[in-house]
Amino acid sequence: MAEKEEKEKDLREEAREIFRKFYERSKDIQKATTETVKEITEKTLKGAQPTKEKLKEITEGIAQGIQEATTRMGGRFEGVLKSLQDLTSKASSSLKEILTGVKEGFEEVTKEERSRECVRFVTERRSITYFDPKKEVTEDLVKEIINLATTAPSGWNLQPWEVVVVMSREKKKRLMEICYNQRKVLDAGANIVIIANTKAHEEHLDRVLDSWIELGYISQRQKKKLMEDILSGWQSPEKRKRKAIRDSALFAMNIMILARMYGLETHPIEGFDEAKLKRFLGISKDRIVPMIISLGYPDQSKKLLPRAYRFSFEEIGQIV
Ligand SMILES: Cc1cc2nc3c(=O)[nH]c(=O)nc-3n(C[C@H](O)[C@H](O)[C@H](O)COP(=O)(O)O)c2cc1C
């Protein structure tokens, strides 16, 4: 009898010890899970998405924890353990579902917010009259914006655009005079002179077609014929001018939108003496300057006039 009591006592103590360990372990698991969920939520709020791997890591971590605890209990109290295990595995799969839901929710919200933001980059653009002359724009930033803007479309991808960026104070002063003393030219951090190259067919076509060959779009054999076709479209001076100006304007619009993504604002300018400008910057006769884009940080103390009237689709459009 005494022996039996002794045995039961041992068993109770052993059980207590096992459950204590299990409890300790479950606290570890809980802590790790909470931290991971917190990390994921923070990252998600910052725009990063929890990866599938991370979710897998959490659920596998939980499952492994349970496995370890079970092993330590040496197979005793199997019924209790089994239900605990079932319960935890259900909890972990619910957690997985919750996290996946959260992830999808964040993804949707982020996507919507991003789309809204993209629309604002376009619709909230204004021609800024007041730039902050004290806030410098770096050369690197200007180059980055221009490099991104070169993704603009162009006929046959000929990219008939060039730029001269006027940044030094001395040169900006002269440019301002050429722009009939428009003050924003001097206050802007940079003025991007957009140049439409009416000789882009001669100067760019070969390189463009070679890149098509490199990409496997066309074969070397097809190049000559295609070249003739494209060049024929560039023969008339009027067409050449139109193509160069049209594509350069698309490139210019890209610059204006991209600049806003870096907190900059712009002002397109057509009010300048083109002959003087070309002499000043050494721009050749076969180039046209459709516009200059002044670019800089806005002077926050100045208020813009409200946006002027815009014609709606009903006034300017038709669907046929
Ligand atoms: C190609 C182009 C040239 C422009 N040239 C001048 C200019 O020389 N001086 C000026 O004050 N505004 C100039 N503007 C700005 C327009 O007046 C302005 O875009 C228009 O009034 C609409 O205002 P918003 O750009 O703020 O929407 C020009 C705009 C474009 C697109």
Side-chain angles (χ1 to χ4, degrees):
M1 194 63 183
E3 198 185 320
K4 198 178 167 219
E5 268 174 27
E6 193 66 22
K7 227 176 177 179
E8 276 176 5
K9 200 173 149 230
D10 281 356
L11 216 54
R12 273 202 304 280
E13 264 168 24
E14 200 179 336
R16 255 204 305 278
E17 177 63 7
I18 287 166
F19 278 110
R20 197 186 55 75
K21 278 187 186 156
F22 179 77
Y23 177 67
E24 285 302 313
R25 181 70 191 145
S26 73
K27 273 201 305 194
D28 287 351
I29 297 166
Q30 199 187 5
K31 199 167 153 243
T33 312
T34 313
E35 276 167 11
T36 320
V37 171
K38 198 170 151 234
E39 188 192 322
I40 289 173
T41 317
E42 274 170 8
K43 278 191 184 157
T44 312
L45 285 171
K46 281 182 199 150
Q49 302 299 334
T51 58
K52 274 203 183 100
E53 288 69 33
K54 195 77 198 168
L55 289 172
K56 199 162 163 252
E57 200 182 299
I58 300 167
T59 44
E60 278 178 2
I62 294 169
Q64 196 191 338
I66 302 299
Q67 189 71 44
E68 269 176 42
T70 318
T71 315
R72 274 195 229 169
M73 287 188 228
R76 288 178 194 272
F77 311 103
E78 270 170 19
V80 183
L81 282 175
K82 181 87 179 59
S83 32
L84 269 175
Q85 208 172 0
D86 285 351
L87 209 68
T88 327
S89 98
K90 272 185 200 146
S92 79
S93 68
S94 311
L95 179 66
K96 191 178 172 183
E97 263 171 43
I98 292 166
L99 286 172
T100 311
V102 167
K103 178 180 175 265
E104 284 168 5
F106 272 122
E107 270 170 4
E108 245 168 66
V109 170
T110 316
K111 223 158 101 187
E112 265 177 48
E113 183 46 39
R114 283 205 189 123
S115 308
R116 272 197 294 273
E117 219 172 309
C118 286
V119 171
R120 285 201 297 272
F121 279 126
V122 176
T123 58
E124 290 176 12
R125 179 214 55 80
R126 293 296 309 277
S127 295
I128 297 297
T129 321
Y130 301 105
F131 292 106
D132 186 342
K134 291 187 287 298
K135 269 196 167 173
E136 267 184 42
V137 177
T138 65
E139 282 184 20
D140 282 349
L141 186 50
V142 174
K143 286 182 194 167
E144 187 166 334
I145 291 168
I146 290 172
N147 276 327
L148 292 172
T150 62
T151 53
S154 57
W156 292 106
N157 195 26
L158 277 183
Q159 305 157 62
W161 47 67
E162 286 173 2
V163 292
V164 176
V165 186
V166 180
M167 293 187 81
S168 78
R169 188 162 170 84
E170 183 208 342
K171 293 238 161 47
K172 281 196 291 187
K173 263 188 178 165
R174 176 68 190 128
L175 185 64
M176 180 175 75
E177 288 164 11
I178 293 170
C179 293
Y180 309 115
N181 288 316
Q182 297 195 55
R183 173 75 200 196
K184 49 196 164 260
V185 173
L186 186 63
D187 291 342
N191 295 279
I192 304 173
V193 179
I194 305 285
I195 302 165
N197 177 6
T198 62
K199 276 195 163 172
H201 58 307
E202 287 173 19
E203 296 171 15
H204 293 180
L205 186 55
D206 201 45
R207 178 70 193 91
V208 167
L209 291 185
D210 279 346
S211 87
W212 289 7
I213 294 171
E214 280 158 33
L215 291 164
Y217 290 4
I218 56 164
S219 67
Q220 183 71 43
R221 229 166 13 91
Q222 288 167 303
K223 182 178 169 181
K224 196 167 169 284
K225 168 83 176 68
L226 191 55
M227 208 159 190
E228 283 166 11
D229 288 350
I230 298 171
L231 289 178
S232 71
W234 277 73
Q235 287 320 300
S236 124
E238 186 47 42
K239 274 192 184 167
R240 222 181 289 169
K241 217 166 132 179
R242 207 192 303 173
K243 281 172 188 289
I245 293 174
R246 180 171 51 211
D247 293 344
S248 299
L250 294 172
F251 166 67
M253 190 69 228
N254 256 9
I255 293 179
M256 289 190 270
I257 295 167
L258 284 161
R260 303 200 68 232
M261 298 189 189
Y262 291 89
L264 292 158
E265 294 290 351
T266 57
H267 198 308
I269 291 179
E270 63 180 350
F272 52 84
D273 183 321
E274 191 168 353
K276 279 187 187 162
L277 179 67
K278 282 179 157 181
R279 266 199 308 280
F280 169 51
L281 297 175
I283 299 169
S284 64
K285 278 212 297 282
D286 42 46
R287 265 94 170 139
I288 300 158
V289 181
M291 75 188 88
I292 298 169
I293 298 174
S294 297
L295 175 144
Y297 294 97
D299 181 342
Q300 303 288 0
S301 68
K302 302 275 180 19
K303 250 191 127 46
L304 266 186
L305 291 170
R307 190 194 284 289
Y309 187 74
R310 287 306 206 256
F311 294 94
S312 68
F313 176 79
E314 282 65 33
E315 293 166 291
I316 52 123
Q318 53 175 313
I319 294 171
V320 293

